[in-house]
Amino acid sequence: MHAAERERRIFEALRPTGFVSYRDLEVLLDASPATIRRDLTRLEESGQIVRVHGGAKLPEGDDASGPRLMGTPFDQNITQNLGAKQAIGKAAAALCQPGEGVMIDGGTTTLQMCPHLDGLGLQVLTNSLHIVNALLPQAGTRILLPSGAVFREQNIILAPAGEESMPRFHAPRLFMGAAAIGPQGVMQADPVLVAAERRLIDRAEEVILLVDSSKFSTQSGTIVCGLDEIDTVITDSGIAPDMAAALQDAGVKLVVA
Amino acid sequence: MHAAERERRIFEALRPTGFVSYRDLEVLLDASPATIRRDLTRLEESGQIVRVHGGAKLPEGDDASGPRLMGTPFDQNITQNLGAKQAIGKAAAALCQPGEGVMIDGGTTTLQMCPHLDGLGLQVLTNSLHIVNALLPQAGTRILLPSGAVFREQNIILAPAGEESMPRFHAPRLFMGAAAIGPQGVMQADPVLVAAERRLIDRAEEVILLVDSSKFSTQSGTIVCGLDEIDTVITDSGIAPDMAAALQDAGVKLVVA
DNA sequence: CAATAAACGATCAATAGCAATCAAATATGA
DNA sequence: TCATATTTGATTGCTATTGATCGTTTATTG
C-alpha cells in the first residue's frame, strides 16, 4: 500500500472521534510499525495531526491552521477541548457495566465515550448517527436506534412529536451532553434537541451529564431539565470551586476526570 | 492503445478512492512503465491529477465521491458490475415523482439511486445506513429511519420480530435489491434480510426490483417473495431473452437501463 | 513505587519506484 | 515511397520508501 492511500485511511479513521490508536492503524493499514510511525511523524510535521503516545489525534480546535476538511458545526466542535472531552468520555465509559444496556445522547463529548466501550458487550441505544458510526467497528457492541427523521444540523434521529419511537426500551443509565449548565439547569442550543432528550430522560433510571468545564460559563439555550433530574456530572478539572459546591448542594454527584 | 483511451482509464480508476497505484495502472493500461509515467506527468502538468510516489491522486478539494472504507463484503460488492448498477440506479431514480415519499431497501444496486435523487425533495424511508450516508449531503431530501438494532453484515437496521418499527408510514413505491432472482421468485442471501424486506413490501403500493443481470444466473438464497408480488424489474442489457420473456409472462414490467 | 508491557526512535539492508537516455515502432507529409 | 516527426518501449543508474532489528523511553498495573 502507498503513502497517499494510507494517509487517506488515517484521516478516515480519525474523523469520527478525533483519535486513532496505533493498534487500530496497524490493522487498518496493514503496514509495518515503522511505516505507521513514519506516516504519523510526517503528518504531525505538516501540522495535520498531533501525535500522542499510542496513536494520534486531530489538533485542538484552533481554527484555520491547516487544510482540514470540517464543514459542519459538529465537526468543528470535535476538536474543541478535545483532550478534556476524551478524559470525560473515558471516565463515563468506566461507569458502564459489561453487558448492560445504556443510552447515549448525541454530542461531541458523549462521542468520546465510544473508543472505551469496545469489549464491554454493551447494548447501546442512541439517537446520534455519529455515535453509530463510531460504534460500528466494535463487533461486540449492539447498536439500537429509535425511528424518526434525520435532523441534519446535529445528525441525530428525531421522532415526530408524540410518537412512540423506541418501543420497550429502558436503561439503567443515560449519558447526556449539553450546550450549557448552570444553577437554572441543563441547556441545549437547539429547542428540537430538548424534546429528544426529554424523551430519553424519561426512560433512564440514572442521568449522567458529560460536560467539559467551558459549559459552565456559557448561559445561552433552552432549558432541558433542572439539576434535580441529574444524578451525576462528569467534567474536567477546569470547573470553578463554587460551581462544584453548587452542584453538590443540589444533590448532584460530581466526577472530575 | 491510444493516449486518450489510457487517460480515460486512469480517471476511471482514480474516481472511486481518489488514488491509483502505479502497479494498478500497469495492469489496467497494459502499457510500459515509461508510457504510464509519461501519461501521469502530462496529466499533472495540466493540473488534472497530483503525482505521488507510487501512483497518483486527485487534486485536493476535488472531493466529489467521498473516500470509502474497503474491506467488508458490502464494499467489495460495490465495485461489482458498477457500470450496470449505476445505469439501473439512474433509471430507478427517474421513476420517483418530486416531493413524494419512497422506501429504499439496502443494497449496492439501490445505493446507486442516491446520486440521482438530489433536488427531487423526496421523503426517503430506508433501513440502510449506507443509503443514509449517501443521502446526508442532499439537504432537500428528508431521511426517515425505522427503529431497531444495527445488523453489521449488511449495515441495515433490523427491527425485533413483531415490533412496530416505523409507525404510520406508507409509500407509493419500494425500491428493493436482491441476491438473486429466478422463476421461483426473489431471493436474499441472508434470512434476516427476508424479514426486513417483507415488512417493507407490506407497506408499499408498488414494488420495484433493482437487479443487475448477473443476479439472474445466481440461484442460492432464501425466498423473499414470488414474482407476483413484484411490479417492475429494472436490470441491464445483459439479461437473457428467455428470462425477459418469463418475467413478462409473470406480469412483471421489465425496464432495461 | 517498582515491575511489566507497550510504544518509540534510530539504524540498515532490501525493495520498489523514478528520471533520463536511446532504440524501435508508428504515424504524417511531401 | 522516402524522410521526418511523434509516440512507445527498453536499459541504466539513482532515489525514496519500506520492513526488520535493535536499545531506550514511556504508560500502566499491581
Side-chain angles (χ1 to χ4, degrees), chain A residues 159-236:
Chain A
E163 193 146 295
E164 196 50 74
S165 67
M166 15 175 183
R168 297 204 287 274
F169 195 83
H170 191 84
R173 262 174 288 286
L174 160 65
F175 297 91
M176 198 169 78
I181 176 172
Q184 318 83 356
V186 178
M187 285 163 281
Q188 274 297 2
D190 198 314
V192 300
L193 293 178
V194 175
E197 290 185 345
R198 282 233 54 94
R199 201 166 332 183
L200 292 175
I201 292 172
D202 293 342
R203 291 168 172 271
E205 292 287 331
E206 186 184 357
V207 179
I208 300 167
L209 193 71
L210 281 65
V211 282
D212 66 89
S213 58
S214 74
K215 302 290 171 60
F216 288 97
S217 40
T218 319
Q219 286 295 335
S220 66
T222 310
I223 290 178
V224 177
C225 66
L227 291 180
D228 56 315
E229 291 190 79
I230 304 295
D231 296 282
T232 306
V233 166
I234 306 179
T235 187
D236 59 89

Side-chain angles (χ1 to χ4, degrees), chain A residues 28-111:
Chain A
L28 207 61
L29 304 183
D30 192 34
S32 75
T35 302
I36 296 174
R37 288 176 209 297
R38 269 187 289 255
D39 284 343
L40 296 180
T41 306
R42 180 164 28 83
L43 288 173
E44 175 166 53
E45 277 167 359
S46 72
Q48 301 192 73
I49 64 171
V50 174
R51 293 193 67 179
V52 294
H53 199 89
K57 61 177 189 174
L58 288 173
E60 290 267 331
D62 54 325
D63 26 16
S65 69
R68 289 208 308 278
L69 57 162
M70 38 185 223
T72 72
F74 191 95
D75 291 331
Q76 289 164 15
N77 274 340
I78 284 183
T79 54
Q80 298 272 335
N81 292 326
L82 181 58
K85 286 176 180 173
Q86 285 174 334
I88 294 169
K90 187 174 181 181
L95 299 180
C96 296
Q97 303 301 315
E100 75 178 355
V102 300
M103 294 188 282
I104 305 184
D105 175 46
T108 53
T109 309
T110 49
L111 181 62

Side-chain angles (χ1 to χ4, degrees), chain B residues 81-92 108-109 112-113 116 257:
Chain B
N81 292 327
L82 181 58
K85 287 176 180 172
Q86 286 172 335
I88 294 169
K90 188 173 181 180
T108 53
T109 310
Q112 296 301 331
M113 291 179 67
H116 307 286

Side-chain angles (χ1 to χ4, degrees), chain B residues 23 37 51-54:
Chain B
R23 286 305 187 83
R37 289 177 208 295
R51 292 194 66 180
V52 293
H53 197 93

